[in-house]
Every structure is written in C-alpha cells, then in structure tokens.
Amino acid sequence: MNTFERRNEIVDLINKNASMLVTELSDIFGISEVTIRTDLRLLEQKGLITRFHGGAAKVTNIINKDVQEIELAERYKIASDPKKRIAHAAIKMVTEGMTIILDSGSTTMLIAEAFASMSNITVITNNLPAAYVISENKDITLVVVGGTVRHKTHSMHGTIAELSLRGINADIMFVGADGIDMTNGITTFNEGYSISGVMADAANKVIAVLDSSKFNRRGFNQVLPLKKIDCMITDKHLAEIDKAALMQSHIDLILV
C-alpha cells in the first residue's frame, strides 16, 4: 500500500468509526505513530479530518476543541474497541492521591490518554508516548523512568531504568501483554521485558490490561508470572475455559 492509498484508507476508517486514536491506526497499518501523526496533520490541512490530542475525528464530529477531553472520556465509555473499554475500566480504579506505574504498550497508552481528565495523581512510566500525553496535564505529577530507549516500543529499558525504580512505592501498576497463558503468565516477543518485573515489585497492586485476543498466545520471554498479577481487566469475548481458569485463581477478573 502506497502513501496515497494509506491516507485514503485512514479517512475512510475515521469516517466509519467517527474517531480513531493514533495508536489504533499505527497498529492497523503497521507503521510508526510518528508517520500516522504526519498523515493526520496533512489530512487535516486538506480539511478531510479534525485532529484532537492523540487521534482524529470526522470533520463534523468535533466542533469545539475545548470539550475534547469530555468527548474522549465518553468515547472510552461506549467504545466498541475492547482496548478502549479496558482503559476506561482501568482509570475507574484510580483515585486522587494515588501513585501509578504505567508500563509500555498500546493499551497502557490508551490509559494515559484517559488520564487527561484526572488530577492530583502521580504517574511513573517508561512509556515515552504516554509520558508525552500526560505531560500536557499540569495537574498530574509525571515521573519518566530514565534508561536506554527501545525504539520499537518507544520505551525506556536497561539497568539505569531499573535502578531508577529503587525505593519507589506505588499503589497500582498497569501492565499490558503480547500474550498470556495459565502456565507462563504474561509473555512478550520483545527483549525489553525485565523492567516490568521491577515495576511489579514496586507496586502494591498489579493490574493486567489486555484484550481477549492475547490469551493462549505465548511469547518467548516471560514478563510476569500469574502469581504477580492481582487483577486482570479484559473483554467479554474471553473464552469460557480461560474465564473459568482465572476465576479459580487468586486473580480478580473484570470483564468489560
């Protein structure tokens, strides 16, 4: 697919769904979020779409940009996309005064977008796109984990990143997954995974946020064993056998 075809398809997707997030379009087309943002900027200049923070909407969908954050919260609440519903359920578990650790990933990025309407919380993250989004909310204390950039996931990893989490005590950690199964827990196909274990050790409660398509998909690196997970938020399409297994475990299961 060439650039012209991709941009036409982006317009079609936005018109069909009323709005799309940059993370969603990046996943669909298998290209970087930077490229998607460039596409959206050019499409907006042509009057074909309207951009909002983190995504774009139909031209007629957003009239007053001052109400974008309210509209964003509503979209997450009623969204057909499971990841959006998962993100909405996740932020309902966050209250003022909390310290949150946010791992890298597309679903945790959606949680970062949803933080736009929150205040008086502290967010610690190695997720660079999430950090950028959160940085625009002056009512949130943002701590960005230092370290080495992993370009594939736009996140910070390595010894420096892990050392920077020493002495941290967070209320909640949100972690995503490439895959999960009842034997190996959360797994990934990436090499940058050890920091998730350090993050989990620093949190009083670990909440896994992942859609049902990730179940019984096993990566070659273990991120977290099931015993490290306190709660799991996933969608209602979860297979009955997996639902039964989780309900028999110590993990609190939330279906959205």
Side-chain angles (χ1 to χ4, degrees):
M1 180 183 297
N2 60 38
T3 301
F4 178 79
E5 292 170 335
R6 183 181 70 243
R7 289 173 181 168
N8 279 339
E9 192 163 337
I10 287 173
V11 174
D12 289 342
L13 284 168
I14 291 172
N15 286 335
K16 179 181 178 182
N17 294 286
S19 67
M20 295 288 291
L21 295 175
V22 170
T23 51
E24 294 176 310
L25 293 169
S26 177
D27 288 341
I28 290 170
F29 293 100
I31 57 178
S32 72
E33 293 177 16
V34 173
T35 303
I36 290 294
R37 288 191 181 94
T38 299
D39 288 344
L40 296 180
R41 185 174 65 253
L42 293 172
L43 291 171
E44 184 180 47
Q45 289 172 358
K46 293 180 179 180
L48 298 173
I49 55 102
T50 299
R51 286 191 299 163
F52 59 82
H53 193 73
K58 290 171 62 175
V59 173
T60 57
N61 195 51
I62 296 178
I63 298 174
N64 185 351
K65 291 192 176 184
D66 291 336
V67 300
Q68 286 177 7
E69 304 302 354
I70 297 173
E71 292 178 349
L72 179 63
E74 287 304 308
R75 285 200 307 278
Y76 277 49
K77 186 174 181 179
I78 64 174
S80 58
D81 182 348
K83 288 185 179 182
K84 292 181 183 178
R85 298 199 305 272
I86 291 166
H88 180 72
I91 63 167
K92 289 169 67 176
M93 304 181 76
V94 177
T95 58
E96 285 196 11
M98 278 189 170
T99 296
I100 311 299
I101 295 178
L102 199 62
D103 204 354
S104 60
S106 58
T107 304
T108 50
M109 177 61 187
L110 291 175
I111 294 173
E113 296 277 1
F115 280 155
S117 61
M118 303 199 71
S119 61
N120 192 26
I121 61 173
T122 297
V123 179
I124 303 168
T125 187
N126 69 329
N127 187 330
L128 294 179
Y132 177 77
V133 168
I134 295 168
S135 69
E136 300 203 358
N137 185 339
K138 296 179 181 179
D139 296 321
I140 293 178
T141 299
L142 173 65
V143 180
V144 182
V145 173
T148 303
V149 176
R150 185 171 188 273
H151 293 283
K152 184 177 180 181
T153 55
H154 299 119
S155 55
M156 309 299 287
H157 295 272
T159 303
I160 296 174
E162 293 171 22
L163 288 175
S164 68
L165 290 163
R166 279 190 179 178
I168 296 295
N169 184 17
D171 296 287
I172 294 174
M173 173 201 181
F174 289 115
V175 59
D178 285 337
I180 186 169
D181 63 85
M182 297 306 294
T183 301
N184 299 281
I186 292 177
T187 57
T188 182
F189 298 97
N190 299 323
E191 66 273 13
Y193 60 92
S194 59
I195 193 172
S196 299
V198 180
M199 288 177 164
D201 289 339
N204 296 327
K205 187 173 186 177
V206 176
I207 302 176
V209 287
L210 62 160
D211 63 89
S212 58
S213 69
K214 304 296 178 63
F215 279 79
N216 299 309
R217 182 185 182 209
R218 186 171 67 185
F220 46 76
N221 287 318
Q222 185 186 57
V223 176
L224 289 176
L226 287 180
K227 65 181 181 180
K228 289 278 191 178
I229 302 169
D230 300 297
C231 176
M232 188 174 298
I233 306 175
T234 187
D235 62 84
K236 294 179 180 178
H237 297 296
L238 181 66
E240 289 299 325
I241 187 170
D242 294 318
K243 187 188 303 182
L246 284 170
M247 293 184 72
Q248 291 176 5
S249 72
H250 69 283
I251 299 172
D252 293 329
L253 179 63
I254 299 175
L255 299 176
V256 294

